[in-house]
Amino acid sequence: MGKSDTATPRERYRAQVRTEIKEHAWQQIATAGASALSLNAIAKQMGVSGPALYRYFAGRDELITELIRDAYRSLADTLGAAAAEGADLSGLAHVLRGWALADPHRYFLLYGTPVPGYHAPDDTTAISSEIMATLLTACAALVPEAPEAQEAQEATEAPFATHLEKHRAWAGDHPAPPAALHLAMSFWTRMHGVLSLELAGHFTGMRFDPDRLFAAELDALLP
């Protein structure tokens, strides 16, 4: 029996109202950006008083945090499901792009300009770590295991990989070797770079297919 099956009518009503508030919040973000999010404006749209909404969210920051958690959870689950079905790094890249294109405002809440005055709690970082773990596993699968002597030589030839080996807190406890860390970091920056420019409309007047650019950057990245 699921949690919703055992919830009281009061709990179900509260969940419904919170969902409605978040739907209005996404509409506001789509119109004016996350920095303009206002609980009072949402209350007006819903036909209730401002203080009434504060029974469901303590303030703007709590609402933003909930939206960020939902977005990270959605992306983590989407990539995780694709990986479970056998998607490799190339497949995950296209899943990431599809997720971003489906809802650019959700994407920019996670990877766009930070909201002034807002600081995300630690648990949102924990969810984002699931996303990176999925990508690290896919990257490690593309990096062949090498004898210790060969790894030392490759580290000498690739100093940034050596740097990442000593600065890998962002990778959590994932056992990915330095070459996989380097590939994951390159994947993350290049794919998000193309996506951010595309979703922000910077390619609109350039008269080329962003899908082809994304594919070309991905092909250049893969070993």
Side-chain angles (χ1 to χ4, degrees):
M1 182 179 292
K3 183 177 179 180
S4 61
D5 297 325
T6 60
T8 66
R10 182 189 181 106
E11 290 170 335
R12 288 196 296 271
Y13 176 75
R14 179 176 178 80
Q16 290 171 359
V17 174
R18 282 173 62 89
T19 297
E20 184 178 355
I21 292 171
K22 287 192 287 185
E23 289 172 351
H24 283 286
W26 282 120
Q27 291 171 8
Q28 275 195 15
I29 290 173
T31 301
S35 60
L37 195 61
S38 166
L39 280 176
N40 287 330
I42 292 173
K44 185 176 181 179
Q45 291 175 329
M46 294 176 63
V48 298
S49 67
L53 250 62
Y54 284 90
R55 295 200 295 266
Y56 300 94
F57 290 98
R60 183 206 68 159
D61 284 6
E62 184 179 320
L63 177 54
I64 292 176
T65 294
E66 187 76 3
L67 297 177
I68 289 174
R69 285 196 188 109
D70 288 351
Y72 269 134
R73 183 77 271 151
S74 173
L75 181 55
D77 290 349
T78 299
L79 291 175
E85 293 176 359
D88 58 8
L89 187 61
S90 178
L92 292 177
H94 290 289
V95 169
L96 170 63
R97 183 169 185 265
W99 183 90
L101 291 175
D103 193 337
H105 302 292
R106 178 178 57 180
Y107 173 86
F108 279 125
L109 183 62
L110 297 184
Y111 301 114
T113 304
V115 179
Y118 171 78
H119 300 284
D122 292 341
D123 68 327
T124 59
T125 304
I127 303 174
S128 68
S129 296
E130 293 181 37
I131 299 169
M132 186 56 72
T134 298
L135 297 177
L136 281 168
T137 298
C139 289
L142 292 175
V143 177
E145 294 187 13
E148 186 172 338
Q150 182 180 340
E151 287 183 353
Q153 179 181 353
E154 291 175 350
T156 301
E157 296 171 351
F160 184 62
T162 303
H163 175 78
L164 287 179
E165 173 64 10
K166 297 176 181 178
H167 299 81
R168 57 182 300 153
W170 57 274
D173 58 0
H174 198 287
L181 294 175
H182 192 175
L183 178 57
M185 183 63 73
S186 297
F187 175 93
W188 200 238
T189 54
R190 289 175 70 168
M191 296 300 95
H192 279 298
V194 174
L195 279 173
S196 295
L197 289 170
E198 178 183 4
L199 295 175
H202 292 295
F203 298 151
T204 301
M206 298 179 72
R207 299 186 182 280
F208 68 85
D209 185 353
D211 185 43
R212 290 177 179 268
L213 172 62
F214 188 86
E217 285 294 292
L218 181 59
D219 286 344
L221 179 66
L222 295 177

